[in-house]
């Protein structure tokens, strides 16, 4: 089974794409064979698009089974038509959504400086409880961790208090790991849902083993 892939010839796949249980958003121009791997591996429909004209879809969007959030300038009507779920713009100055929101179908952890208005939009779009916080002292929680409905994998330097909060929020055990030969901001190199995962091509065997264990794919 394929475990690693590149997008735009880079292993930073979480920067360029994002996925939910049902949808994988990839940048326009992604190779057809890459789209086929993503669709087959993650069991989700691949949709190619741009976010405010940019190819860094993973950094500028975040979704779950209920909806998607995007940075300013995105045609949310088109996304809503393509995905069949709610699509909204995250208000405020901080809106690189994929970098600052970590979410699954039950909860969301967000950048601690996001406004109350932003929290309202996140909660209504994703239909989850929303909490401010950090991972390893990092405010860009969307790239400092990866969460599915089955597992949670975060930056190796997560603190004990952060771990306790994460476990309470997501009701999942917290595991630590890396991607792409030691990249601690593992959200940049990993796409995952409860069905499967794909990591960037520089991810080592031991890293893949940790990912599989954390996200519930070990037999």
């Amino acid at each position: 089974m394929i475990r690693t892939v590149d997008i735009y010839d880079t292993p930073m796949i979480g920067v360029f794409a994002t996925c939910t249980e049902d949808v994988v958003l990839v940048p326009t121009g992604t190779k057809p064979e890459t789209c086929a791997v993503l669709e087959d591996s993650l069991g989700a429909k691949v949709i190619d698009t741009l976010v405010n004209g940019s190819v860094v879809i993973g950094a500028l969007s975040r979704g779950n089974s209920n909806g998607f959030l995007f940075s300013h300038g995105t045609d949310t009507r088109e996304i809503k038509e393509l995905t069949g779920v709610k699509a909204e713009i995250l208000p405020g100055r901080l809106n690189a959504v994929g970098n600052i929101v970590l979410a699954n179908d039950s909860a969301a952890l967000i950048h601690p400086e996001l406004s109350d208005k932003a929290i309202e939009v996140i909660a209504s779009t994703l239909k989850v409880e929303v909490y401010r916080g950090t991972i390893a002292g990092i405010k860009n929680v969307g790239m400092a961790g990866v969460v599915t409905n089955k597992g949670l994998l975060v930056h190796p330097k997560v603190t004990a208090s952060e771990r306790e909060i994460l476990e309470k929020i997501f009701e999942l055990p917290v595991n630590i790991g890396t991607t792409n030969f030691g990249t601690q901001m593992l959200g940049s190199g990993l796409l995952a849902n409860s069905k499967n995962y794909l990591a960037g091509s520089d991810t080592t065997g031991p890293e893949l083993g940790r990912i599989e264990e954390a996200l519930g794919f070990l037999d």
Side-chain angles (χ1 to χ4, degrees):
M1 184 174 288
I2 296 172
R3 290 303 192 196
T4 63
V5 70
D6 283 349
I7 295 176
Y8 277 11
D9 297 320
T10 170
M12 306 293 280
I13 60 174
V15 174
F16 288 95
T18 192
C19 75
T20 67
E21 293 293 293
D22 306 305
V23 173
V24 187
L25 297 183
V26 301
T28 301
T30 301
K31 295 175 181 177
E33 55 267 34
T34 302
C35 292
V37 168
L38 291 165
E39 193 159 270
D40 183 59
S41 297
L42 297 172
K45 178 184 178 183
V46 172
I47 295 171
D48 66 278
T49 187
L50 297 173
V51 176
N52 194 20
S54 175
V55 298
V56 288
I57 308 294
L60 301 178
S61 63
R62 178 70 69 202
N64 67 5
S65 296
N66 301 311
F68 277 96
L69 294 158
F70 296 93
S71 67
H72 297 304
T74 306
D75 186 347
T76 54
R77 289 174 301 174
E78 180 188 20
I79 296 291
K80 186 176 181 180
E81 289 174 7
L82 291 170
T83 63
V85 296
K86 193 172 183 179
E88 297 289 346
I89 300 296
L90 185 67
R93 176 179 58 85
L94 295 167
N95 75 335
V97 192
N99 290 345
I100 59 178
V101 177
L102 181 68
N104 64 3
D105 288 348
S106 62
L109 180 74
I110 65 166
H111 190 295
E113 294 168 23
L114 277 171
S115 67
D116 291 345
K117 175 60 178 175
I119 287 179
E120 288 177 19
V121 173
I122 294 166
S124 65
T125 304
L126 302 184
K127 297 186 173 71
V128 295
E129 293 290 324
V130 181
Y131 306 86
R132 294 183 176 98
T134 59
I135 297 173
I138 296 163
K139 296 177 182 179
N140 286 343
V141 293
M143 287 295 165
V146 171
V147 66
T148 71
N149 295 334
K150 286 172 52 175
L152 175 58
L153 189 65
V154 301
H155 193 291
K157 293 183 180 178
V158 62
T159 67
S161 60
E162 289 170 336
R163 184 188 289 261
E164 187 176 335
I165 291 167
L166 285 163
E167 288 181 347
K168 184 176 181 180
I169 289 172
F170 290 106
E171 298 183 350
L172 292 167
V174 175
N175 293 275
I176 61 171
T178 56
T179 59
N180 289 324
F181 203 68
T183 300
Q184 295 180 327
M185 296 293 278
L186 49 86
S188 67
L190 183 61
L191 295 172
N193 58 24
S194 67
K195 304 167 192 174
N196 210 342
Y197 77 91
L198 284 166
S201 63
D202 288 344
T203 305
T204 66
E207 287 176 325
L208 292 173
R210 182 67 75 117
I211 292 165
E212 291 185 8
E213 181 179 7
L215 301 183
F217 297 122
L218 286 183
D219 294 332

